Amino acid sequence: RFHFSRRFKTITNMSPMKYFMHLKMKKAGYMLQTTSLKVNAVSRSLGFDNEYYFSRCFKSSVGCSPQKYCKMS
């Protein structure tokens, strides 16, 4: 496990967990742009139980809140 994490980070410059979260936020952005789903539906479909936690993660990853991101699209 340690060897995998170290090797993964060497290749991607991210830990496996950060990379996984990055992929989730990328998918969230795509879903917010291409569907009419609301933020709570997108967060649930990506496995987040708490919409506020999803919003915080999205904002720290993308740079703006999911609501603002929807308006920009």
mmCIF file of all heavy atoms in Angstrom, residues 4-20 22:
data_model
loop_
_atom_site.group_PDB
_atom_site.id
_atom_site.type_symbol
_atom_site.label_atom_id
_atom_site.label_comp_id
_atom_site.label_asym_id
_atom_site.label_seq_id
_atom_site.Cartn_x
_atom_site.Cartn_y
_atom_site.Cartn_z
ATOM 1 N N PHE A 4 2.546 1.669 -3.402
ATOM 2 C CA PHE A 4 1.597 2.169 -4.397
ATOM 3 C C PHE A 4 1.387 3.665 -4.228
ATOM 4 O O PHE A 4 1.441 4.420 -5.210
ATOM 5 C CB PHE A 4 0.256 1.435 -4.288
ATOM 6 C CG PHE A 4 -0.825 2.082 -5.102
ATOM 7 C CD1 PHE A 4 -0.864 1.902 -6.480
ATOM 8 C CD2 PHE A 4 -1.778 2.885 -4.509
ATOM 9 C CE1 PHE A 4 -1.849 2.510 -7.247
ATOM 10 C CE2 PHE A 4 -2.772 3.496 -5.268
ATOM 11 C CZ PHE A 4 -2.801 3.302 -6.637
ATOM 12 N N SER A 5 1.125 4.115 -3.003
ATOM 13 C CA SER A 5 0.865 5.539 -2.755
ATOM 14 C C SER A 5 2.055 6.392 -3.166
ATOM 15 O O SER A 5 1.892 7.441 -3.792
ATOM 16 C CB SER A 5 0.549 5.780 -1.284
ATOM 17 O OG SER A 5 -0.678 5.204 -0.951
ATOM 18 N N ARG A 6 3.240 5.953 -2.798
ATOM 19 C CA ARG A 6 4.444 6.715 -3.122
ATOM 20 C C ARG A 6 4.654 6.770 -4.634
ATOM 21 O O ARG A 6 4.926 7.828 -5.198
ATOM 22 C CB ARG A 6 5.639 6.091 -2.436
ATOM 23 C CG ARG A 6 6.883 6.961 -2.536
ATOM 24 C CD ARG A 6 8.013 6.391 -1.751
ATOM 25 N NE ARG A 6 8.392 5.125 -2.393
ATOM 26 C CZ ARG A 6 9.113 4.194 -1.829
ATOM 27 N NH1 ARG A 6 9.540 4.339 -0.596
ATOM 28 N NH2 ARG A 6 9.427 3.094 -2.471
ATOM 29 N N ARG A 7 4.471 5.663 -5.287
ATOM 30 C CA ARG A 7 4.642 5.607 -6.750
ATOM 31 C C ARG A 7 3.571 6.444 -7.460
ATOM 32 O O ARG A 7 3.854 7.158 -8.412
ATOM 33 C CB ARG A 7 4.566 4.155 -7.190
ATOM 34 C CG ARG A 7 4.810 3.938 -8.611
ATOM 35 C CD ARG A 7 6.163 3.312 -8.787
ATOM 36 N NE ARG A 7 6.207 2.808 -10.150
ATOM 37 C CZ ARG A 7 7.227 2.992 -10.934
ATOM 38 N NH1 ARG A 7 8.291 3.589 -10.477
ATOM 39 N NH2 ARG A 7 7.209 2.554 -12.157
ATOM 40 N N PHE A 8 2.348 6.348 -6.997
ATOM 41 C CA PHE A 8 1.240 7.105 -7.566
ATOM 42 C C PHE A 8 1.513 8.594 -7.451
ATOM 43 O O PHE A 8 1.317 9.350 -8.401
ATOM 44 C CB PHE A 8 -0.070 6.735 -6.854
ATOM 45 C CG PHE A 8 -1.292 7.275 -7.511
ATOM 46 C CD1 PHE A 8 -1.953 6.529 -8.470
ATOM 47 C CD2 PHE A 8 -1.790 8.523 -7.183
ATOM 48 C CE1 PHE A 8 -3.098 7.024 -9.090
ATOM 49 C CE2 PHE A 8 -2.921 9.024 -7.792
ATOM 50 C CZ PHE A 8 -3.579 8.265 -8.755
ATOM 51 N N LYS A 9 1.955 9.025 -6.282
ATOM 52 C CA LYS A 9 2.225 10.445 -6.058
ATOM 53 C C LYS A 9 3.383 10.922 -6.926
ATOM 54 O O LYS A 9 3.375 12.053 -7.415
ATOM 55 C CB LYS A 9 2.510 10.710 -4.586
ATOM 56 C CG LYS A 9 2.541 12.175 -4.262
ATOM 57 C CD LYS A 9 2.514 12.424 -2.794
ATOM 58 C CE LYS A 9 2.405 13.919 -2.545
ATOM 59 N NZ LYS A 9 2.259 14.225 -1.155
ATOM 60 N N THR A 10 4.374 10.076 -7.151
ATOM 61 C CA THR A 10 5.489 10.430 -8.021
ATOM 62 C C THR A 10 5.003 10.695 -9.438
ATOM 63 O O THR A 10 5.442 11.639 -10.092
ATOM 64 C CB THR A 10 6.536 9.297 -8.045
ATOM 65 O OG1 THR A 10 6.986 9.070 -6.721
ATOM 66 C CG2 THR A 10 7.712 9.649 -8.922
ATOM 67 N N ILE A 11 4.067 9.899 -9.898
ATOM 68 C CA ILE A 11 3.570 10.019 -11.273
ATOM 69 C C ILE A 11 2.571 11.163 -11.428
ATOM 70 O O ILE A 11 2.628 11.926 -12.390
ATOM 71 C CB ILE A 11 2.942 8.685 -11.720
ATOM 72 C CG1 ILE A 11 4.020 7.615 -11.791
ATOM 73 C CG2 ILE A 11 2.244 8.822 -13.063
ATOM 74 C CD1 ILE A 11 3.496 6.204 -11.943
ATOM 75 N N THR A 12 1.657 11.318 -10.477
ATOM 76 C CA THR A 12 0.560 12.283 -10.631
ATOM 77 C C THR A 12 0.731 13.568 -9.836
ATOM 78 O O THR A 12 -0.044 14.508 -10.020
ATOM 79 C CB THR A 12 -0.780 11.652 -10.196
ATOM 80 O OG1 THR A 12 -0.706 11.345 -8.801
ATOM 81 C CG2 THR A 12 -1.103 10.422 -11.013
ATOM 82 N N ASN A 13 1.692 13.604 -8.936
ATOM 83 C CA ASN A 13 1.874 14.741 -8.013
ATOM 84 C C ASN A 13 0.689 14.920 -7.071
ATOM 85 O O ASN A 13 0.458 16.008 -6.552
ATOM 86 C CB ASN A 13 2.152 16.047 -8.761
ATOM 87 C CG ASN A 13 3.519 16.059 -9.389
ATOM 88 O OD1 ASN A 13 4.451 15.473 -8.850
ATOM 89 N ND2 ASN A 13 3.641 16.685 -10.539
ATOM 90 N N MET A 14 -0.112 13.883 -6.900
ATOM 91 C CA MET A 14 -1.247 13.893 -5.970
ATOM 92 C C MET A 14 -1.305 12.543 -5.269
ATOM 93 O O MET A 14 -0.946 11.529 -5.853
ATOM 94 C CB MET A 14 -2.574 14.071 -6.702
ATOM 95 C CG MET A 14 -2.864 15.407 -7.246
ATOM 96 S SD MET A 14 -4.542 15.379 -7.907
ATOM 97 C CE MET A 14 -4.327 16.381 -9.349
ATOM 98 N N SER A 15 -1.809 12.564 -4.049
ATOM 99 C CA SER A 15 -2.064 11.295 -3.374
ATOM 100 C C SER A 15 -3.249 10.616 -4.061
ATOM 101 O O SER A 15 -4.038 11.284 -4.740
ATOM 102 C CB SER A 15 -2.383 11.533 -1.901
ATOM 103 O OG SER A 15 -3.647 12.164 -1.777
ATOM 104 N N PRO A 16 -3.389 9.310 -3.908
ATOM 105 C CA PRO A 16 -4.532 8.634 -4.534
ATOM 106 C C PRO A 16 -5.883 9.231 -4.120
ATOM 107 O O PRO A 16 -6.784 9.384 -4.950
ATOM 108 C CB PRO A 16 -4.396 7.184 -4.063
ATOM 109 C CG PRO A 16 -2.947 7.005 -3.807
ATOM 110 C CD PRO A 16 -2.480 8.341 -3.293
ATOM 111 N N MET A 17 -6.016 9.600 -2.846
ATOM 112 C CA MET A 17 -7.285 10.162 -2.390
ATOM 113 C C MET A 17 -7.548 11.538 -3.010
ATOM 114 O O MET A 17 -8.680 11.835 -3.421
ATOM 115 C CB MET A 17 -7.271 10.257 -0.855
ATOM 116 C CG MET A 17 -8.609 10.460 -0.265
ATOM 117 S SD MET A 17 -9.649 9.043 -0.674
ATOM 118 C CE MET A 17 -11.228 9.772 -0.487
ATOM 119 N N LYS A 18 -6.523 12.371 -3.095
ATOM 120 C CA LYS A 18 -6.702 13.687 -3.722
ATOM 121 C C LYS A 18 -7.030 13.545 -5.202
ATOM 122 O O LYS A 18 -7.845 14.283 -5.737
ATOM 123 C CB LYS A 18 -5.456 14.551 -3.542
ATOM 124 C CG LYS A 18 -5.359 15.175 -2.193
ATOM 125 C CD LYS A 18 -4.293 16.240 -2.171
ATOM 126 C CE LYS A 18 -4.282 16.860 -0.783
ATOM 127 N NZ LYS A 18 -3.496 18.075 -0.738
ATOM 128 N N TYR A 19 -6.402 12.582 -5.850
ATOM 129 C CA TYR A 19 -6.687 12.351 -7.260
ATOM 130 C C TYR A 19 -8.126 11.879 -7.455
ATOM 131 O O TYR A 19 -8.820 12.333 -8.359
ATOM 132 C CB TYR A 19 -5.698 11.318 -7.826
ATOM 133 C CG TYR A 19 -5.816 11.142 -9.311
ATOM 134 C CD1 TYR A 19 -5.292 12.085 -10.185
ATOM 135 C CD2 TYR A 19 -6.449 10.030 -9.854
ATOM 136 C CE1 TYR A 19 -5.402 11.936 -11.554
ATOM 137 C CE2 TYR A 19 -6.558 9.862 -11.210
ATOM 138 C CZ TYR A 19 -6.032 10.819 -12.067
ATOM 139 O OH TYR A 19 -6.149 10.667 -13.417
ATOM 140 N N PHE A 20 -8.569 10.988 -6.591
ATOM 141 C CA PHE A 20 -9.949 10.505 -6.652
ATOM 142 C C PHE A 20 -10.925 11.661 -6.465
ATOM 143 O O PHE A 20 -11.913 11.785 -7.194
ATOM 144 C CB PHE A 20 -10.158 9.422 -5.591
ATOM 145 C CG PHE A 20 -11.536 8.829 -5.588
ATOM 146 C CD1 PHE A 20 -12.004 8.119 -6.675
ATOM 147 C CD2 PHE A 20 -12.361 8.976 -4.489
ATOM 148 C CE1 PHE A 20 -13.270 7.560 -6.682
ATOM 149 C CE2 PHE A 20 -13.631 8.430 -4.486
ATOM 150 C CZ PHE A 20 -14.085 7.720 -5.586
ATOM 151 N N HIS A 22 -10.290 14.800 -7.079
ATOM 152 C CA HIS A 22 -10.155 15.620 -8.282
ATOM 153 C C HIS A 22 -11.057 15.087 -9.403
ATOM 154 O O HIS A 22 -11.739 15.856 -10.083
ATOM 155 C CB HIS A 22 -8.688 15.651 -8.722
ATOM 156 C CG HIS A 22 -8.455 16.258 -10.057
ATOM 157 N ND1 HIS A 22 -8.517 17.620 -10.276
ATOM 158 C CD2 HIS A 22 -8.174 15.687 -11.251
ATOM 159 C CE1 HIS A 22 -8.277 17.857 -11.553
ATOM 160 N NE2 HIS A 22 -8.069 16.698 -12.160
#
